[in-house]
Amino acid sequence: MSYFSSSIGRKQIVGICGLGLSLFVLTHMLGNLLVFLGPQAYNEYGHALTSNKLIYIAEAGLLAILIGHVIYTVLLTIRNKNARPKKYAVTPAGEKKTNFAAKTMIYQGVVILVFIIHHLLTFKFGEEYEVQYGEVIMRDLYRLMVEVFSQPIYVVWYVIAVIILWTHLGHGFSSSFKSLGFNHPKYVKKIDTAGCIYAAVVCLGFIAQPLYMFMNN
Amino acid sequence: MAGAGGKNLNLKLKVWKQKGPNDSGHFLNYDANGISTDMSFLEMLDVMNEDLISNGQEPIEFDHDCREGICGTCSLVINGEPHGPDKGTTTCQLHMRRFKDGDTIAIEPFRAKAFPVIRDLIVDRSAFDRIIEAGGYISTNTGNAVDANAMPIGKAEADEAFNSAACIGCGACVAACKNASASLFTSAKLSHLAAIPQGQAERISRANSMVAQMDSEAFGACTNTGACEAACPKEISIENIAVMNREFAISSLKSRK
């Protein structure tokens, strides 16, 4: 049997891609913390990233793991939905009930995907303002952020989407390790705790940014 | 019918009735009156069936055998929970004292495409047999019995193998999983045999063959929700699934098939 057509192989690919995306969201959040230092630091960071030719390789890699994560998840979800054509009439409520976040990963993923597309259209492919620092003319992304996050509706949507990302990472991080075979009484609790802390740090870092922009501008 | 210290319950049962695999099925309501709290859940169904048969009605069809929690034949999803509300308990070991007078109890079959309903609450779990046939065994030469101490196995390894071998193959893991995945069952057998020396010879091919068979039986994939572990009457750990994932990844790299 081919690894790529097996349920476990596909799950492991989803996990590996998911961990790659988790690493990306952490670096994205950390880099964007520069908004707290003001427009120049933030715009120069953005310029340094986009003017480096390696960005194309990084973006292609990121797109590839996002597509891998989505496609294999869709294939697994189709399989999973077909595995129980007739649903139960009663949902378990006692000790045998399951965690809500774990049960709704696919729906969280759909919201996050819509958010990513909207986020890219708003920022990466959004209005191109320019600013000059010394000799260098660069994109004024800070101005765009101020404009976007002055709209309460966008701030609310952003915060809701990041809270959903929080639940997605909270289960996804530790679940990826388990799919890859890392579940042992010696360290499984540490992985679960690391996943909770990771999700909280990434998402609180993201949420702080639009709230700061909204309150200060 | 109340035993010493027990009391009687009047219950409403909402039972799944289905004539066969191709029938769409429906719930039928029954009144179960005067049920002793000392009865087991299956005894309650026995009493119901006695009444139904004596009144010329169709009995409720359900699976059962040993009635001491070791054979894995009984099933039932009781109020949404495979084997009922108690953890680490099979339906046959569930007692009516767990319910309150006036309760409504919904009883459904284990629902999965790979477990077609034969009739009412009885499902065909032979997909599990086919997974075992695909590799859940060891091959050994016949002849005189091997000396008991010829193959030393550490206590920790023996315990680990035994914990996995405690699976009774009832299918509650499949019933509980939102994806109707058979991962806990398959992984328990794989982990059991991977932990002991007798299982080493076929270790590589076993993971590949058993997972291939599991996938071909229309079970879903594992999403690590932990529902299987919570529902398992033998409390088989979800850690076994990670062992299977490791075994399968290694098998995929090493296998020449």
Side-chain angles (χ1 to χ4, degrees):
Chain A
M1 181 181 49
S2 155
Y3 177 80
F4 296 96
S5 61
S6 69
S7 61
I8 295 177
R10 287 178 172 181
K11 190 67 208 169
Q12 290 180 337
I13 294 166
V14 170
I16 292 167
C17 293
L19 287 175
L21 294 169
S22 306
L23 199 60
F24 164 73
V25 290
L26 177 70
T27 55
H28 187 40
M29 184 279 288
L30 290 174
N32 279 19
L33 288 178
L34 289 169
V35 292
F36 296 115
L37 298 182
Q40 190 169 349
Y42 184 69
N43 285 332
E44 281 177 349
Y45 161 69
H47 182 68
L49 275 184
T50 51
S51 56
N52 190 330
K53 292 281 177 276
L54 289 174
I55 192 74
Y56 296 110
I57 297 171
E59 282 180 345
L62 194 57
L63 187 64
I65 59 172
L66 176 67
I67 290 172
H69 190 71
V70 172
I71 286 182
Y72 279 102
T73 301
V74 168
L75 291 172
L76 284 169
T77 304
I78 292 169
R79 176 185 186 92
N80 295 343
K81 296 287 172 202
N82 286 337
R84 176 164 297 129
K86 184 90 190 163
K87 304 275 175 257
Y88 289 111
V90 185
T91 310
E95 287 183 291
K96 295 181 183 177
K97 73 173 178 199
T98 29
N99 172 312
F100 180 76
K103 275 197 303 188
T104 54
M105 287 293 278
I106 182 69
Y107 307 110
Q108 296 159 28
V110 170
V111 176
I112 295 164
L113 186 61
V114 170
F115 173 78
I116 292 171
I117 295 167
H118 185 231
H119 188 73
L120 285 173
L121 292 175
T122 310
F123 291 104
K124 186 172 174 58
F125 303 109
E127 200 70 51
E128 297 261 357
Y129 298 120
E130 283 188 345
V131 65
Q132 187 166 358
Y133 298 113
E135 301 280 296
V136 190
I137 297 171
M138 61 185 71
R139 193 176 173 197
D140 192 355
L141 262 173
Y142 190 90
R143 183 177 161 193
L144 183 59
M145 267 185 92
V146 170
E147 263 187 29
V148 170
F149 291 132
S150 64
Q151 307 160 51
I153 185 78
Y154 198 97
V155 177
V156 170
W157 159 234
Y158 188 98
V159 171
I160 290 173
V162 173
I163 290 171
I164 291 170
L165 175 67
W166 193 334
T167 59
H168 200 71
L169 279 176
H171 174 74
F173 184 89
S174 60
S175 178
S176 299
F177 280 97
K178 289 165 190 169
S179 296
L180 292 169
F182 298 97
N183 185 355
H184 193 280
K186 266 200 293 193
Y187 56 72
V188 69
K189 285 217 162 54
K190 287 179 186 145
I191 292 179
D192 289 344
T193 310
C196 290
I197 295 171
Y198 194 91
V201 166
V202 167
C203 296
L204 287 173
F206 273 134
I207 289 171
Q209 295 163 23
L211 291 181
Y212 170 81
M213 300 299 265
F214 182 70
M215 287 174 196
N216 282 278
N217 295 287
Chain B
M1 233 174 285
K7 60 173 189 172
N8 286 342
L9 303 175
N10 294 326
L11 303 163
K12 300 240 177 271
L13 302 185
K14 195 176 155 193
V15 183
W16 186 257
K17 295 290 287 178
Q18 187 171 335
K19 286 194 168 72
N22 300 320
D23 180 28
S24 57
H26 62 281
F27 278 105
L28 204 57
N29 295 321
Y30 297 92
D31 288 321
N33 295 325
I35 299 297
S36 163
T37 51
D38 293 335
M39 284 182 193
S40 76
F41 199 84
L42 297 186
E43 281 169 339
M44 181 272 291
L45 289 178
D46 290 338
V47 168
M48 287 293 302
N49 279 347
E50 293 277 341
D51 283 350
L52 289 170
I53 292 165
S54 61
N55 291 330
Q57 291 175 275
E58 288 271 321
I60 300 161
E61 304 273 354
F62 62 95
D63 259 330
H64 63 102
D65 192 6
C66 74
R67 297 208 179 195
E68 53 186 12
I70 56 168
C71 76
T73 307
C74 63
S75 55
L76 309 184
V77 171
I78 301 162
N79 288 336
E81 296 176 304
H83 292 297
D86 288 341
K87 286 191 102 171
T89 305
T90 52
T91 296
C92 63
Q93 295 288 293
L94 174 68
H95 284 79
M96 296 313 294
R97 65 182 80 98
R98 191 66 172 74
F99 299 92
K100 292 196 298 289
D101 191 37
D103 274 358
T104 298
I105 306 174
I107 312 173
E108 297 176 75
F110 283 180
R111 295 194 190 280
K113 191 177 183 184
F115 287 171
V117 171
I118 297 171
R119 197 174 173 92
D120 296 350
L121 304 168
I122 300 177
V123 297
D124 178 0
R125 285 170 279 183
S126 56
F128 271 12
D129 298 336
R130 292 188 289 274
I131 293 174
I132 295 296
E133 281 167 23
Y137 53 80
I138 58 154
S139 301
T140 185
N141 293 327
T142 54
N144 289 339
V146 180
D147 183 83
N149 296 318
M151 192 180 285
I153 303 174
K155 173 78 167 73
E157 289 75 21
D159 285 349
E160 195 185 323
F162 193 78
N163 285 341
S164 304
C167 169
I168 53 175
C170 65
C173 45
V174 174
C177 176
K178 75 177 179 68
N179 309 326
S181 167
S183 293
L184 193 66
F185 167 78
T186 310
S187 68
K189 187 48 66 186
L190 273 170
S191 307
H192 163 209
L193 297 177
I196 49 175
Q198 292 93 330
Q200 302 309 306
E202 288 144 315
R203 189 168 173 179
I204 299 301
S205 61
R206 178 180 301 117
N208 213 301
S209 315
M210 289 183 76
V211 171
Q213 188 61 37
M214 175 179 83
D215 281 357
S216 75
E217 295 287 354
F219 291 110
C222 172
T223 40
N224 295 313
T225 65
C228 52
E229 184 184 56
C232 177
K234 295 294 146 189
E235 301 186 303
I236 302 288
S237 168
I238 196 172
E239 187 194 325
N240 287 289
I241 298 180
V243 174
M244 172 170 75
N245 294 340
R246 282 204 295 273
E247 292 285 313
F248 179 73
I250 295 166
S251 165
S252 298
L253 287 170
K254 287 187 174 177
S255 174
R256 290 176 189 271
K257 279 190 194 168

